[in-house]
Amino acid sequence: MTSARIPLIIDTDTAQDDCVALLVGLLDPRADLRAITMVAGNVGFERQVRNAHLTLNAAGRLGDIPIYLGCRRPLVRDWVSAENVHGDGAGGLAMDFDGLAAHSQHGVDALIDLVAAAPGEISIVAIGPLTNIAMAAVKDPNFVGNVKSLFIMGGSNNGRGNITAAAEYNFYVDPEAARTVFEAGFNVTVIPWAPLTLDHAVFSREQLAGIAAIDTPLARFFTRVVGTTLDFDESVGIAGSTHPDSLTAAVLLHPELVTAAADYAVDVETGSELTRGYSAMSWGVHELTANARVVEAVDGAAFLQYITDLLSRPSTLNRPFD
Ligand code: RIB
Ligand code: CA
């Protein structure tokens, strides 16, 4: 018996592990990827679109999945680049981009229309700042109810941030959007940066060498894309490459990866500059109403094996990489 495919949209600021998350959506037989929506985040907006095209190409799926361009800056703040971490976000890979175009509809309207066409069926994997998701919730009062589930990569579970001591990047960049989303009433699952990602979704150099040795086109793409960030991660004391975005997509498709999760009341700091984007995750003892399920632990070895298996699949590039 084959299990039903899971319809999803990936909302992304495509660079490094966002590319791996897109591969999860493109290659996992359980995934029915309906669209990619782009949001301002990691690297320049047009660069992110190119990175998404590079990823579609690596999977041999160029032209199969529409890319919709969403918000090009946070709701009320200036964009904050993570190019110091990611470089161009694709390890310098290039190809002929001639004739490749994003869909003409705005990403926020695409999110609204796609879930309205299949109410309660489509899940969203949000792995960048939450600007598009907040905009859609504000624009269409039916949007929240039409989304089956919202899987968010962001925040820390009362742990360390990564862009500041207090804040994880996605929530820091657009804290007003994050706060709006947690207040909106979605069926939310959160994959936080700390401690979850740092404890269970870091691939060591040895593990990365194991993936590189597979030497498939997908493994070569992965190795190139992840390589740039590895040096940065090690410079800040993380012993390998980090994979919060691909873990978020994987957990939607394979909930059995989760070994611990609990309901929390999540809120995001918007007032303070010192703790901008801090995620307060209240674990049920403060008389607050829970608004999210927060993943606390996953089977890290199973996740590494899952990504390894995915990258072992045969694929044919649509266009050669330069
Ligand atoms: O803080 C981790 C998040 O920001 C991930 O979504 C990754 O893309 C990074 O830049
Ligand atoms: Ca991301």
Side-chain angles (χ1 to χ4, degrees):
M1 191 180 80
T2 52
S3 48
R5 295 173 76 213
I6 296 175
L8 74 151
I9 298 167
I10 300 183
D11 187 73
T12 166
D13 55 339
T14 313
Q16 197 254 354
D17 195 44
D18 288 77
C19 299
V20 187
L22 290 182
L23 289 181
V24 168
L26 291 163
L27 299 169
D28 188 317
R30 291 208 72 186
D32 172 11
L33 182 60
R34 302 282 175 90
I36 296 165
T37 53
M38 194 60 62
V39 67
N42 283 321
V43 298
F45 197 85
E46 300 306 334
R47 181 67 246 173
Q48 292 179 168
V49 178
R50 288 199 158 196
N51 293 344
H53 277 128
L54 289 165
T55 309
L56 286 162
N57 186 52
R61 301 283 306 277
L62 212 48
D64 281 3
I65 308 292
I67 301 173
Y68 296 88
L69 307 187
C71 298
R72 290 166 181 269
R73 43 156 282 197
L75 294 181
V76 295
R77 302 186 189 240
D78 293 334
W79 170 57
V80 179
S81 159
E83 284 154 319
N84 62 318
V85 178
H86 298 292
D88 68 3
L93 275 175
M95 68 180 197
D96 178 5
F97 291 98
D98 277 2
L100 300 176
H103 198 283
S104 57
Q105 187 180 30
H106 193 275
V108 171
D109 294 320
L111 283 163
I112 289 170
D113 288 353
L114 287 165
V115 297
E121 292 179 15
I122 300 178
S123 294
I124 299 174
V125 173
I127 53 176
L130 288 166
T131 320
N132 287 342
I133 309 301
M135 282 288 283
V138 169
K139 187 170 183 185
D140 177 8
N142 297 317
F143 179 68
V144 172
N146 286 337
V147 174
K148 181 176 185 187
S149 58
L150 176 62
F151 281 62
I152 293 172
M153 190 286 122
S156 275
N157 186 352
N158 305 303
R160 290 188 179 199
N162 53 16
I163 188 159
T164 67
E168 177 280 333
Y169 176 79
N170 288 340
F171 286 7
Y172 178 87
V173 170
D174 200 341
E176 286 78 13
R179 187 160 219 220
T180 301
V181 167
F182 280 103
E183 288 175 347
F186 289 101
N187 172 16
V188 173
T189 298
V190 181
I191 303 293
W193 174 257
L196 178 72
T197 299
L198 296 177
D199 286 353
H200 300 290
V202 173
F203 297 170
S204 68
R205 278 196 185 265
E206 191 182 2
Q207 290 166 335
L208 292 169
I211 290 175
I214 303 168
D215 207 28
T216 57
L218 288 166
R220 288 196 288 274
F221 174 79
F222 171 92
T223 300
R224 185 80 178 263
V225 164
V226 162
T228 312
T229 312
L230 186 55
D231 290 339
F232 174 85
D233 288 336
E234 288 178 344
S235 77
V236 295
I238 301 170
S241 61
T242 56
H243 299 280
D245 297 331
S246 48
L247 178 62
T248 307
V251 162
L252 165 65
L253 301 172
H254 299 279
E256 68 277 8
L257 287 169
V258 176
T259 56
D263 290 340
Y264 284 74
V266 180
D267 202 352
V268 179
E269 175 61 48
T270 58
S272 157
E273 270 313 300
L274 180 64
T275 57
R276 162 183 169 174
Y278 171 74
S279 52
M281 298 193 179
S282 177
W283 53 93
V285 298
H286 306 114
E287 299 183 6
L288 298 170
T289 303
N291 59 0
R293 177 174 162 268
V294 177
V295 176
E296 297 173 327
V298 298
D299 182 339
F303 174 58
L304 172 63
Q305 189 60 54
Y306 168 78
I307 294 294
T308 305
D309 290 346
L310 211 64
L311 299 172
S312 302
R313 299 170 70 89
S315 70
T316 307
L317 300 179
N318 299 108
R319 300 181 180 191
F321 287 128
D322 296 339

